[in-house]
Amino acid sequence: MRVSVQAAERLALEGGKPVRATLLPYGHHTVEESDIASVVATLRSGWLTTGPKVEEFENAIAQLVGARHAVAFSSGTAALHGAAFAADLKSGDEAITTPLTFCATANAVVYQGAQPVFADVSNDTLNLDPETVGRRITPQTKAILPVDFTGHPAALDEILQLAGERITVIEDASHALGATYRQRRVGGISHMSVFSFHPVKHVACGEGGMVTTNSERFARRLRQFRNHGIESDPRRREAEGQWHYEMTALGYNYRLSDIACALGISQLGRLEASVARRGAIAERYGKALAEIPAIEMPHVRPEVEPAWHLYCIRLRLEKLTADRAQIFRALRAENIGVNVHYIPVHLHPYYRDRFGRRAGEFPVAEAAYQRLLTLPMFPAMSDGDVDDVILAVRKVIAAYSA
Ligand SMILES: *Cc1c(COP(=O)(O)O)cnc(C)c1O
């Protein structure tokens, strides 16, 4: 490894000068004047919650991903819950998902009273391994929830094939808006795809989510679920009176407001540019860090174009004198806002206690977790910011190289 002058400097953790004067976060949203104007125009429009902006945002997302329907929700978590309802998940059913995700993916299964079943990941992409999924399918399996970890699409064709006619594939595409899989946009491939518009994701609404689907039936159930389980059939209204509506299932208030959609629509206009910028940052990291033996770079399969929500490296701990926690602390001291994605879901106390899960069940995901480190990645990062991260990583790795 090339040891630069900076790398010989004392670590900030040990009293040296940090690479940056202020903390560079791992992710951050961008709000431009045009976003503000879009929200202000909605505030002046007379609509606050469900109005024309919801449909406009839904149509824009549906068109972007190539799906027939898009249904907006108040968060990605609510959207996952809606998809689990639409797939008719209930007590006695099983749904297979990955341990290497945000807990909301598995929680959606539990909200419906169904049993979450985890399957291990492939060692390259850290996405659900279709082979391990296949081994966990039973007559009770009603859904599979692959996650496009970091924005790299999961093995969707293989998973859809395993699912066949009987099982619904709910893709948690929270990381992958703008990604492509075998020349197709993520969002138009699985039976349902779920997006999040949390500020660290590709498009920010503050809070917000969306389910895309080509199924008329799923779309209808999703719309019903986000509005208390109410079905309002225009023909019945005609016959029984304009006040008429019927609640036919237990739903929630999971609606997304016009204000949030106005922000989302404006942000969506920059999606292509921001995904391209993320790609350029990934390339800059790739060129600079690939030569460091103690780092395993993220893998990209040839059939995908990832959306790079996260940039996750893995440390080769056998080449280091420190563990991930120590490297993490040292980088934070250099004012690099590294993070870790994710603590495997099955290791959280809730999943251990309630579902009897334990360490050792998913060796690929668990081994990856020990070595994962998320580097800062967001479109507003300058090349100088990226270079600060590179410099700090070189400095810290050099200090702890075996
Ligand atoms: C962000 C995220 C969610 C939840 O989305 P919210 O909009 O924050 O509710 C679910 N799954 C994954 C993988 C996520 O990254």
Side-chain angles (χ1 to χ4, degrees):
M1 185 194 141
R2 207 152 29 92
V3 179
S4 63
V5 182
Q6 287 87 348
E9 275 180 18
R10 200 142 59 103
L11 293 179
L13 196 61
E14 292 164 1
K17 185 171 175 276
V19 166
R20 283 177 69 91
T22 57
L23 184 78
L24 179 71
Y26 87 93
H28 202 265
H29 61 271
T30 304
V31 171
E32 294 193 350
E33 285 304 320
S34 54
D35 299 332
I36 294 168
S38 173
V39 172
V40 169
T42 286
L43 289 171
R44 294 205 167 102
S45 74
W47 294 97
L48 290 178
T49 186
T50 313
K53 291 292 166 186
V54 177
E55 206 179 324
E56 189 184 331
F57 190 36
E58 289 176 338
N59 290 341
I61 293 277
Q63 191 179 6
L64 176 90
V65 304
R68 277 214 282 283
H69 310 275
V71 182
F73 279 82
S74 52
S75 69
T77 302
L80 279 164
H81 189 186
F85 168 83
D88 199 28
L89 268 183
K90 53 187 184 311
S91 173
D93 296 332
E94 296 173 0
I96 302 171
T97 192
T98 165
L100 216 54
T101 182
F102 184 54
C103 51
T105 318
N107 290 353
V109 174
V110 183
Y111 293 155
Q112 286 298 105
Q115 181 80 12
V117 174
F118 296 98
D120 213 344
V121 296
S122 301
N123 193 42
D124 61 341
T125 59
L126 302 180
N127 278 326
L128 261 186
D129 177 355
E131 203 178 293
T132 69
V133 171
R135 277 189 258 119
R136 287 181 180 264
I137 290 176
T138 72
Q140 283 72 48
T141 307
K142 197 176 261 177
I144 304 172
L145 292 87
V147 175
D148 304 316
F149 180 65
T150 73
H152 185 299
L156 298 174
D157 282 346
E158 289 82 349
I159 288 169
L160 280 162
Q161 186 165 2
L162 282 170
E165 301 281 296
R166 184 175 68 81
I167 297 171
T168 303
V169 176
I170 302 170
E171 179 184 351
D172 184 341
S174 295
H175 298 181
L177 186 63
T180 60
Y181 174 81
R182 297 194 166 130
Q183 270 86 52
R184 286 169 293 162
R185 269 290 160 95
V186 160
I189 303 169
S190 298
H191 302 128
M192 286 183 269
S193 304
V194 176
F195 297 97
S196 162
F197 307 119
H198 178 277
V200 298
K201 307 290 164 61
H202 294 79
V203 162
C205 285
E207 298 284 356
M210 190 85 74
V211 184
T212 58
T213 182
N214 287 320
S215 155
E216 178 77 43
R217 195 180 83 86
F218 286 152
R220 207 171 51 241
R221 282 177 65 83
L222 289 162
R223 288 182 199 286
Q224 179 187 13
F225 192 70
R226 75 165 173 196
N227 192 33
H228 307 281
I230 290 170
E231 275 184 307
S232 98
D233 178 343
R235 277 162 306 172
R236 293 289 299 273
R237 268 199 187 181
E238 205 104 305
E240 318 227 4
Q242 282 301 315
W243 70 85
H244 190 268
Y245 62 81
E246 281 182 338
M247 185 195 130
T248 56
L250 185 63
Y252 293 79
N253 176 358
Y254 276 162
R255 296 186 301 263
L256 187 61
S257 73
D258 249 36
I259 303 169
C261 290
L263 180 56
I265 291 162
S266 178
Q267 294 245 325
L268 195 57
R270 292 195 303 275
L271 179 73
E272 307 291 343
S274 67
V275 168
R277 175 64 192 149
R278 287 171 182 274
I281 293 169
E283 206 177 310
R284 201 172 180 91
Y285 277 147
K287 281 197 184 119
L289 301 178
E291 67 188 48
I292 301 178
I295 292 179
E296 181 178 349
M297 304 298 285
H299 298 261
V300 178
R301 291 195 180 173
E303 68 270 24
V304 312
E305 285 174 55
W308 292 111
H309 164 54
L310 299 172
Y311 195 88
C312 299
I313 59 169
R314 275 178 273 181
L315 301 171
R316 295 193 205 274
L317 296 172
E318 70 282 4
K319 297 188 194 300
L320 294 166
T321 59
D323 63 6
R324 189 262 316 275
Q326 182 71 9
I327 305 276
F328 180 99
R329 277 193 294 273
L331 282 164
R332 280 282 178 101
E334 302 293 340
N335 275 324
I336 305 300
V338 286
N339 212 324
V340 174
H341 294 89
Y342 288 98
I343 298 166
V345 178
H346 69 287
L347 299 181
H348 284 296
Y350 177 83
Y351 280 89
R352 289 178 187 253
D353 298 347
R354 167 97 191 268
F355 297 103
R357 298 277 63 83
R358 58 199 147 67
E361 286 186 288
F362 307 103
V364 183
E366 291 173 34
Y369 168 62
Q370 297 299 328
R371 312 198 284 123
L372 275 166
L373 196 62
T374 305
L375 303 183
M377 166 65 84
F378 54 97
M381 278 175 80
S382 67
D383 285 351
D385 293 332
V386 180
D387 291 346
D388 284 346
V389 178
I390 292 165
L391 196 63
V393 168
R394 282 194 179 134
K395 177 181 172 184
V396 168
I397 295 286
Y400 293 112
S401 278

